[in-house]
Amino acid sequence: MKIDILTLFPEAFGSFLSHSMMKRAQTAGHAEIRTVDIRDYAHDKHRTCDDRPFGGGAGMVLKPEPIFEALEALFGGKKPSKKTRIICLTPQGKPFKQTQAKKLAKYEHLVFLCGHYEGIDERAIESWVDEEVSIGDYILTQGELPAMVLIDSVVRLLPGVLGNALSKTFESFTGNLLEYPQYTRPAEYRGLKVPEVLLSGDHQKIADWRQSQALRRTAKRRPDLLRKKRK
């Protein structure tokens, strides 16, 4: 998968892309992730990419010209193919879910447009963006953090990225359930013991226990997921 990130702050992605799973995914050739500096497409010596909003109001708005031209350069002046998805990170977008991560993981090319200030000129969004996405009902100062969230959630789903493919099968939000409790060595620590069933070696009993724990945890913490599961 190719991933391009249009951003005012490409340096913000340095550590994120050069460590842990993101680094391994790129080194192994599962993902090619690049940043595009929107300021490179500004029209003045100050590399200005924002201006005051028409109609008045607080804050600044990202100008359409550098965004249009950055995307045109990215696609060589051609129209993006159906295997490409352009996503704008904004609090006005559709709430991001695991189901959406799975859909995005099927594309060959993802482009993330990071919002900033009071937002992006609507003409750029209407002309280029396939979908607007939000990671929650709160406001951040920039779209770079949400972009990292989406990229992390999608890249880990690509074949070969996770060391154990089962890791993405038994986890929260799979089947609308939160994940069951996890334990590791030692079996007892400061009087706190691992549930006996996990030490039994009986795989069916372990599977049943995990399912019951997932249901119990979901009912307590996210009952809305169970209501959704029943529909």
Side-chain angles (χ1 to χ4, degrees):
M1 174 183 282
K2 291 185 178 180
I3 297 175
D4 287 291
I5 310 161
L6 273 66
T7 171
L8 293 175
F9 306 102
E11 64 277 6
F13 292 89
S15 179
F16 170 68
L17 296 177
S18 61
H19 291 86
S20 190
M21 183 185 70
M22 289 299 140
K23 181 179 180 180
R24 293 197 301 270
Q26 295 174 87
T27 300
H30 301 303
E32 179 184 346
I33 308 175
R34 304 174 298 181
T35 57
V36 177
D37 191 342
I38 298 174
R39 295 186 191 277
D40 289 344
Y41 298 90
H43 290 176
D44 66 328
K45 65 179 182 180
H46 301 294
R47 306 176 79 204
T48 304
C49 289
D50 61 333
D51 208 335
R52 293 185 296 273
F54 279 123
M60 305 290 277
V61 177
L62 286 181
K63 295 163 63 66
E65 305 102 302
I67 295 174
F68 267 79
E69 293 175 26
L71 288 166
E72 287 167 352
L74 183 63
F75 294 108
K78 299 179 181 179
K79 184 179 180 180
S81 74
K82 293 182 179 180
K83 297 179 180 179
T84 296
R85 196 73 171 166
I86 302 177
I87 301 151
C88 178
L89 291 313
T90 168
Q92 302 170 35
K94 182 179 179 181
F96 188 63
K97 305 289 185 182
Q98 183 68 12
T99 52
Q100 183 64 4
K102 292 179 179 179
K103 291 179 181 178
L104 293 178
K106 296 178 181 179
Y107 284 90
E108 293 182 2
H109 187 193
L110 296 179
V111 180
F112 293 94
L113 176 57
C114 301
H116 205 65
Y117 310 122
E118 289 301 310
I120 298 170
D121 189 292
E122 192 68 18
R123 290 167 291 185
I125 295 174
E126 291 179 348
S127 299
W128 286 98
V129 172
D130 294 309
E131 60 182 299
E132 297 177 79
V133 175
S134 168
I135 62 168
D137 294 338
Y138 48 88
I139 307 298
L140 298 172
T141 58
Q142 55 186 343
E144 282 72 17
L145 290 174
M148 293 180 201
V149 170
L150 265 69
I151 292 168
D152 189 285
S153 67
V154 170
V155 169
R156 66 185 301 278
L157 296 176
L158 299 179
V161 171
L162 293 182
N164 187 338
L166 292 178
S167 297
K168 60 186 178 184
T169 302
F170 303 104
E171 59 187 5
S172 292
F173 307 113
T174 300
N176 288 325
L177 292 178
L178 298 182
E179 190 174 7
Y180 46 78
Q182 296 279 13
Y183 297 88
T184 188
R185 294 178 177 81
E188 181 176 348
Y189 178 69
R190 297 190 179 185
L192 303 173
K193 298 181 180 180
V194 171
E196 287 295 331
V197 64
L198 298 179
L199 308 176
S200 68
D202 189 319
H203 297 297
Q204 185 58 55
K205 286 184 178 180
I206 292 173
D208 291 343
W209 179 87
R210 286 175 168 170
Q211 178 70 9
S212 67
Q213 290 295 314
L215 284 166
R216 181 180 300 178
R217 176 167 286 187
T218 305
K220 182 178 180 180
R221 301 181 183 181
R222 290 291 304 276
D224 58 301
L225 293 176
L226 288 179
R227 290 193 292 269
K228 182 178 179 181
K229 186 178 178 66
R230 295 190 189 102
K231 292 181 180 179

